[in-house]
Amino acid sequence: MFYESDAMFDTSFDILVVLFFVCFFGVIGYVVVKGVVQWNRNSHSPLINVPATVIAKRADVSSHRYANANDFSGLADYECERSKWEQFVRQMELFYQFKCDKLEFKDISYGSKISFEMDACGHFAVKGKIYGVHMTHSLEFEFDADQTVLPEFINGLKKL
């Protein structure tokens, strides 16, 4: 049996399918034409030369540190200016020679910080907080050591 309402449904459905495809390809065509028009406008725009001054340069500013303690291990990135890194290494050498008793190193991107503090006997405490990417996680640590570990540590710092 054929009902008039079925025929109407088929016709309405056919119209909706056609309208969907017309709208779909119409939107794609609009985006393509708009992109080509923008590209053409940019290509025909005049080039403008203006004087500029470089006020800062970041080069060779990152370091990776790998930590491993019992069941915990991880990698931390530190960013600093090269001159600050070299100053930190020189200060670490003075620290080893007992010419300073406190030392701190700060990261310029996320605010990570490591500090060293030595007593008169050559024992020192290392404290710090290292932030991960986008500060989504952090590691806070504290441990004690003595100056016998510093020569190897300083040599490792110089190689970076």
Side-chain angles (χ1 to χ4, degrees):
M1 287 183 135
F2 180 72
Y3 294 106
E4 190 175 312
S5 62
D6 289 341
M8 225 167 105
F9 174 76
D10 287 342
T11 306
S12 299
F13 184 74
D14 291 342
I15 291 172
L16 285 176
V17 169
V18 169
L19 281 176
F20 171 77
F21 282 106
V22 167
C23 289
F24 180 77
F25 289 112
V27 168
I28 290 175
Y30 173 77
V31 169
V32 168
V33 168
K34 188 175 177 183
V36 169
V37 168
Q38 183 67 45
W39 169 78
N40 190 34
R41 188 179 315 136
N42 290 342
S43 294
H44 289 90
S45 296
L47 294 177
I48 301 172
N49 293 322
V50 294
T53 303
V54 176
I55 58 170
K57 179 181 174 184
R58 293 179 65 181
D60 198 16
V61 294
S62 63
S63 172
H64 307 291
R65 297 282 76 207
Y66 187 76
N68 189 356
N70 294 333
D71 291 335
F72 173 79
S73 63
L75 179 69
D77 290 334
Y78 252 73
E79 277 190 60
C80 69
E81 296 172 3
R82 186 69 187 173
S83 62
K84 296 285 185 187
W85 179 256
E86 291 167 353
Q87 179 185 3
F88 171 70
V89 174
R90 284 191 303 273
Q91 288 177 334
M92 184 58 73
E93 289 174 325
L94 294 174
F95 186 74
Y96 174 64
Q97 298 166 3
F98 293 92
K99 293 183 179 176
C100 71
D101 59 352
K102 291 182 183 176
L103 181 60
E104 187 173 84
F105 186 64
K106 292 184 181 179
D107 176 40
I108 62 173
S109 59
Y110 296 117
S112 298
K113 178 176 82 169
I114 299 176
S115 63
F116 301 80
E117 190 168 341
M118 188 180 302
D119 65 14
C121 297
H123 298 96
F124 62 93
V126 180
K127 299 176 185 177
K129 188 166 190 176
I130 299 174
Y131 293 97
V133 178
H134 309 297
M135 296 182 73
T136 55
H137 53 278
S138 66
L139 170 65
E140 197 163 351
F141 59 90
E142 181 175 343
F143 62 90
D144 295 318
D146 62 53
Q147 79 274 16
T148 60
V149 300
L150 287 176
E152 185 179 344
F153 181 67
I154 293 169
N155 285 335
L157 295 177
K158 287 180 179 180
K159 292 178 184 176
L160 296 177

